[in-house]
């Protein structure tokens, strides 16, 4: 892994000024005498090298998480009014019943497929407990597959 080296050099012998009354400009303008106080020295930094390990090219990896839920209409669904299909009527990719849809919030979204056709966003609403189909005046025939797809995203930093 590459290293960033920062050099900070020691600044020894930085003089501190004498603050005695003899050396103020007003009183010392006429007489020039040496102050008997010794000049003080102060060390500011003592560090010579700092090594910092830094990754060469960090990158961001975005990975999708996709969950699909299936429902086959056991009867004709009339869409003159809103219809609600609860999540416990769906099965997952493995054919096992579920209790709720995976909701990824702001990091994801839902898609609805009716008979394999992606539906417009205004035609449905999905939360973790149910799928609500909007009233369109149409109907869904018995045996039609309804698929809810929940898509979410995760991000992680990858150091090469």
């Amino acid at each position: 892994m590459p290293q960033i080296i920062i050099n900070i050099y020691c600044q020894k012998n930085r003089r501190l000024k004498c603050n005695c009354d003899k050396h103020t400009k007003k009183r010392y303008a006429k007489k020039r005498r040496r102050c008997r106080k010794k000049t003080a020295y102060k060390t500011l930094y003592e560090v010579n090298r700092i090594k910092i390990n830094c990754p060469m090219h960090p990158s961001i990896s975005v990975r999708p998480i996709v969950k699909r839920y299936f429902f086959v209409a056991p009867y004709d669904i009339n869409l003159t009014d809103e219809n609600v299909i609860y999540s416990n009527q769906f099965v997952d990719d493995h054919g096992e019943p579920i209790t709720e849809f995976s909701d990824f919030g702001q990091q994801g979204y839902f898609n609805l497929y009716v008979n394999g056709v992606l539906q417009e966003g205004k035609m449905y609403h999905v939360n973790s407990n149910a799928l609500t189909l909007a009233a369109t005046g149409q109907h869904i025939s018995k045996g039609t597959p309804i698929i809810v797809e929940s898509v979410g995203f995760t991000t992680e930093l990858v150091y090469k």
Side-chain angles (χ1 to χ4, degrees):
M1 191 171 283
Q3 294 180 347
I4 297 173
I5 298 173
I6 301 171
N7 289 321
I8 303 173
Y9 295 102
C10 181
Q11 295 181 358
K12 287 184 180 178
N13 302 334
R14 181 162 256 196
R15 292 183 180 200
L16 297 175
K17 294 181 181 178
C18 181
N19 293 327
C20 69
D21 292 335
K22 294 179 184 177
H23 291 111
T24 58
K25 290 183 181 180
K26 294 177 186 176
R27 293 188 179 190
Y28 191 63
K30 295 178 182 175
K31 298 178 184 178
R32 292 214 169 229
R33 292 185 190 171
R34 283 190 125 174
C35 180
R36 292 186 182 171
K37 289 186 178 180
K38 293 182 179 178
T39 306
Y41 294 97
K42 182 179 180 182
T43 302
L44 296 178
Y45 302 103
E46 293 267 344
V47 178
N48 288 332
R49 274 193 169 179
I50 298 174
K51 292 182 181 180
I52 300 172
N53 290 331
C54 181
M56 191 76 163
H57 298 287
S59 62
I60 298 174
S61 175
V62 179
R63 296 183 181 186
I65 301 170
V66 180
K67 304 281 186 174
R68 287 180 294 275
Y69 306 102
F70 302 91
F71 173 77
V72 178
Y75 49 84
D76 288 346
I77 300 172
N78 194 358
L79 297 176
T80 54
D81 294 327
E82 281 189 348
N83 271 324
V84 177
I85 303 173
Y86 293 100
S87 60
N88 60 4
Q89 296 175 323
F90 284 81
V91 295
D92 62 7
D93 279 332
H94 304 291
E96 297 176 10
I98 63 163
T99 56
E100 63 181 20
F101 299 123
S102 294
D103 190 358
F104 297 105
Q106 295 293 324
Q107 290 81 26
Y109 59 90
F110 288 101
N111 284 328
L112 174 67
Y113 296 89
V114 176
N115 203 19
V117 178
L118 180 64
Q119 302 299 306
E120 295 178 33
K122 64 180 180 180
M123 302 293 286
Y124 64 94
H125 176 71
V126 182
N127 61 27
S128 61
N129 297 324
L131 162 69
T132 304
L133 300 170
T136 60
Q138 300 173 350
H139 74 281
I140 297 173
S141 300
K142 176 182 177 181
T144 302
I146 297 174
I147 303 166
V148 174
E149 181 181 53
S150 178
V151 181
F153 298 96
T154 61
T155 58
E156 64 182 87
L157 287 174
V158 177
Y159 298 103
K160 295 180 181 180

